[in-house]
Amino acid sequence: MPACFTSESVTGGHPDKLCDKTADAILDAILAQDDGARVACEVFANTDHMHIMGEITSTARVDYEAIARRVIRETGYTEHGRGFDCDTAVIDVSLNHQSPDIAMGVDNVDPLEIGAGDQGMMFGFACRETENYMPLPIELSHRLTRRLETLRRDGTLPFLLPDGKSQVTVEYRDNVPSRILAVVLSAQHKESIDIETLRALLKEQVILPALPPNMLGDWTEFFINPTGRFVVGGPAGDTGLTGRKIIVDTYGGYARHGGGAFSGKDPTKVDRTGAYMARYLAKNIVAGGYMDRCEVQLSYAIGVSRPTSIRIEDFGTAHINDVGAMKDHIMETVDLRPMAIINRFGLRRPIYGKLASYGHFGENAKDMPWERLDLGL
């Protein structure tokens, strides 16, 4: 029987993503000066305010307010009178040092034995639905929002404003994507354009070029700015918060999620580092022909360097007789300690800003080391 699956994406101007981008811009600025910094930066934005909070222990000297204003400006919130802009927004900074109790668990005389920064479980996933080994619904949703932002920035659609969302529903037959049943696209816009013109242009310029034509047809429903008006957007329309789009950041809900966000966290936080390693393992397993779909779970305890567990799920798609043997082989040959992962992927670099929008895996992260197919199982 056919089944369907839906995933969503948001533009870089969505209020939650604006907060993610600001947190990761701060992280990058700190790592550029101090690669051993401990950073847990949280941001929220509402109406005409942005609040920067968290715990940072570092020798770096950065201007947090200037970074926030730069991100807001680059995102496109530059027009006065829309409720939130880079010049008039009030930026509040409230940062403390990392708790010594947490630091005690992470610090170690032997760098490779540095413990995990917190307990938790992380998931990585891969499948054969796309060339990037990502689920198709989230890849298509990202295509729509990226194109929406591109056409706003290059002036092709000058009526667009920074905020926007997409959603794609894909029908599956025998676990293979067969057609697109529904497309939702909501784009913030200037008051000067009428809704029918906007809908026609978004369908013609954004949706149809971004989605595979062979999957569209009379069966596809299009919902373009369904309420008819989206003028007030960004933090002026909805409060933004770091980490609230973790499903957009990962697999669009197609795989399980441990609950930990990525943005604003230095790599000693296994919410980020463990999730990158889990994706690396899953992608290499699928690319190696061992499974058609693979989900890897890692779990850690605060202050303990080695994972407390590893689980591999093949969803009945394994092409090997013993999935347990694959797990044992990985545990014996791949160093899963946080510092070993940090060293393997070079995670103490300022590389995170580009990941804050449009996903930490797949097309948006194709140049990142955890997307490589070099594990050699």
Side-chain angles (χ1 to χ4, degrees):
M1 289 288 292
C4 62
F5 196 88
T6 303
S7 292
E8 73 159 352
S9 177
V10 298
T11 65
H14 184 279
D16 294 331
K17 278 291 135 201
L18 179 66
C19 293
D20 286 341
K21 289 165 62 176
T22 303
D24 275 334
I26 288 170
L27 173 63
D28 280 350
I30 291 171
L31 290 178
Q33 298 181 40
D34 177 12
D35 65 4
R38 301 285 166 76
V39 180
C41 182
E42 307 284 353
V43 178
F44 83 86
N46 69 312
T47 314
D48 58 353
H49 281 68
M50 176 174 278
H51 308 262
I52 301 169
M53 307 159 292
E55 297 77 44
I56 296 177
T57 302
S58 174
T59 59
R61 300 180 67 86
V62 301
D63 188 333
Y64 300 109
E65 179 177 341
I67 292 171
R69 293 196 188 281
R70 173 178 60 80
V71 172
I72 296 168
R73 181 178 297 107
E74 292 174 351
T75 301
Y77 290 107
T78 58
E79 296 185 42
H80 295 191
R82 295 193 177 277
F84 184 88
D85 67 77
C86 58
D87 297 316
T88 65
V90 177
I91 310 295
D92 297 319
V93 179
S94 179
L95 293 166
N96 296 307
H97 293 289
Q98 184 185 57
S99 161
D101 295 340
I102 295 176
M104 180 176 62
V106 176
D107 295 332
N108 197 290
V109 175
D110 180 356
L112 278 175
E113 288 299 329
I114 285 178
D118 201 353
Q119 70 177 47
M121 62 287 203
M122 304 85 216
F123 289 91
F125 182 80
C127 62
R128 295 191 173 278
E129 293 180 15
T130 66
E131 65 178 14
N132 297 305
Y133 297 91
M134 289 286 287
L136 185 62
I138 187 64
E139 286 277 274
L140 296 182
S141 296
H142 284 323
R143 282 189 204 173
L144 289 173
T145 48
R146 288 189 72 126
R147 185 164 179 82
L148 198 62
E149 181 163 355
T150 297
L151 297 185
R152 176 184 65 83
R153 288 183 178 277
D154 67 17
T156 301
L157 299 179
F159 56 85
L160 289 177
L161 294 172
D163 199 354
K165 304 177 75 171
S166 70
Q167 188 170 283
V168 178
T169 300
V170 175
E171 182 182 81
Y172 286 75
R173 292 181 178 271
D174 298 322
N175 291 319
V176 177
S178 62
R179 57 182 183 170
I180 296 171
L181 296 183
V183 178
V184 182
L185 188 67
S186 296
Q188 186 189 13
H189 60 89
K190 297 178 180 178
E191 290 181 282
S192 56
I193 188 165
D194 67 272
I195 186 60
E196 294 308 320
T197 301
L198 179 142
R199 285 171 173 162
L201 286 171
L202 290 183
K203 184 174 181 181
E204 173 191 333
Q205 297 288 328
V206 179
I207 295 175
L208 296 181
L211 302 181
N214 63 311
M215 298 188 74
L216 300 172
D218 295 339
W219 56 81
T220 308
E221 292 187 279
F222 297 95
F223 302 91
I224 303 171
N225 279 39
T227 66
R229 177 182 168 89
F230 187 3
V231 174
V232 179
D238 191 14
T239 298
L241 180 67
T242 45
R244 197 153 55 182
K245 286 290 177 284
I246 55 177
I247 299 303
V248 173
D249 288 339
T250 53
Y251 309 101
Y254 203 91
R256 283 168 280 206
H257 197 293
F262 302 153
S263 291
K265 296 179 180 178
D266 77 81
T268 66
K269 279 68 174 176
V270 284
D271 285 337
R272 187 192 285 275
T273 303
Y276 291 170
M277 174 53 81
R279 161 65 175 175
Y280 178 68
L281 295 173
K283 185 176 180 180
N284 276 267
I285 288 170
V286 172
Y290 301 103
M291 300 171 195
D292 293 333
R293 284 191 291 157
C294 179
E295 183 184 78
V296 174
Q297 184 197 49
L298 301 175
S299 67
Y300 290 88
I302 186 169
V304 180
S305 64
R306 298 182 186 277
T308 55
S309 72
I310 175 173
R311 181 178 186 271
I312 299 176
E313 172 63 64
D314 70 299
F315 303 98
T317 69
H319 301 290
I320 53 177
N321 294 325
D322 190 349
V323 174
M326 171 67 74
K327 184 194 77 170
D328 293 342
H329 176 69
I330 288 172
M331 293 183 69
E332 292 170 3
T333 60
V334 182
D335 196 336
L336 299 176
R337 292 176 293 177
M339 187 53 65
I341 300 172
I342 290 170
N343 292 340
R344 183 174 197 136
F345 295 151
L347 297 182
R348 290 190 180 275
R349 299 172 291 146
I351 60 174
Y352 301 107
K354 76 176 294 290
L355 301 171
S357 300
Y358 310 115
H360 292 245
F361 311 115
E363 176 65 24
N364 191 53
K366 62 184 178 182
D367 298 324
M368 294 297 168
W370 55 88
E371 290 292 309
R372 295 174 186 159
L373 301 176
D374 59 1
L375 182 55
L377 290 170

